[in-house]
Amino acid sequence: MIRSVLHIEAPRDHVFAVLADYQRYKEWFPGCEQSAVVSRADGRVDAEFVLNLVKKVRIGMRFEAQPTRTLRFHMIAGKDLRSYSGSYRLVDSAHGRGTIVIAEMWIDIGIFVPQFIIEHVAKKSMNETFLSLRRYISRQAAARIPDSPAAPQRA
């Protein structure tokens, strides 16, 4: 299992909304070229992604959420990985100014590669994804804050 933790200066509901907006993953998820929701039923969302990693990978994922708290996912289609699953848990930061995201991921690539190498590459990828998520949310917040009016000038 690979685990990573990130603090984001944004409310938990906003962070969750970004993570659960699967169609927009291509806007912030590194290497994501396409993302589309395939179906929604019984609190589950099936989505398909095309990722440009070492090679192009098409993967189907199922997401199950407890809104603003937990987002679990697992692979339901794809031939390039044996299995891929994980979760995002969101909690309010202790100082009340943001959200702590705790990500856990399990991956089996289906060929023999020492586990420590897989975990090193996956951890690096997870950290890049987190930094990209933080930048994306920060840009969204900046776009929502109107510029303050200029102070009156003396003649």
Side-chain angles (χ1 to χ4, degrees):
M1 173 182 47
I2 298 101
R3 177 181 285 166
S4 193
V5 178
L6 174 73
H7 176 260
I8 297 178
E9 292 283 337
R12 188 174 56 186
D13 60 339
H14 182 70
V15 175
F16 182 84
V18 170
L19 289 171
D21 191 356
Y22 315 110
Q23 294 181 145
R24 297 182 80 175
Y25 269 41
K26 60 187 169 281
E27 296 178 17
W28 65 269
F29 196 95
C32 184
E33 293 183 350
Q34 295 177 1
S35 55
V37 170
V38 177
S39 68
R40 294 179 190 272
D42 301 325
R44 294 187 311 254
V45 175
D46 292 348
E48 187 173 272
F49 300 92
V50 175
L51 306 174
N52 190 355
L53 305 170
V54 175
K55 67 176 193 168
K56 284 201 182 191
V57 174
R58 183 174 297 274
I59 188 169
M61 300 295 294
R62 175 161 293 152
F63 295 88
E64 297 178 47
Q66 289 182 306
T68 75
R69 302 223 177 264
T70 306
L71 183 62
R72 297 184 196 294
F73 56 89
H74 66 273
M75 186 177 87
I76 57 172
K79 60 183 180 183
D80 296 296
L81 298 173
R82 182 176 291 161
S83 67
Y84 174 60
S85 62
S87 67
Y88 296 109
R89 289 183 293 138
L90 285 70
V91 294
D92 294 326
S93 63
H95 57 73
R97 293 194 50 204
T99 303
I100 304 295
V101 182
I102 304 158
E104 296 177 335
M105 179 175 67
W106 297 268
I107 187 167
D108 181 354
I109 63 173
I111 59 174
F112 178 75
V113 174
Q115 190 63 27
F116 75 92
I117 292 175
I118 294 169
E119 288 180 6
H120 175 76
V121 171
K123 179 79 169 177
K124 182 179 177 197
S125 175
M126 185 183 285
N127 288 336
E128 289 171 5
T129 300
F130 264 2
L131 293 175
S132 182
L133 174 64
R134 180 188 281 154
R135 283 190 301 269
Y136 181 77
I137 290 173
S138 183
R139 283 192 311 268
Q140 283 186 324
R144 283 194 307 268
I145 299 172
D147 292 332
S148 59
Q153 301 281 330
R154 288 183 63 135

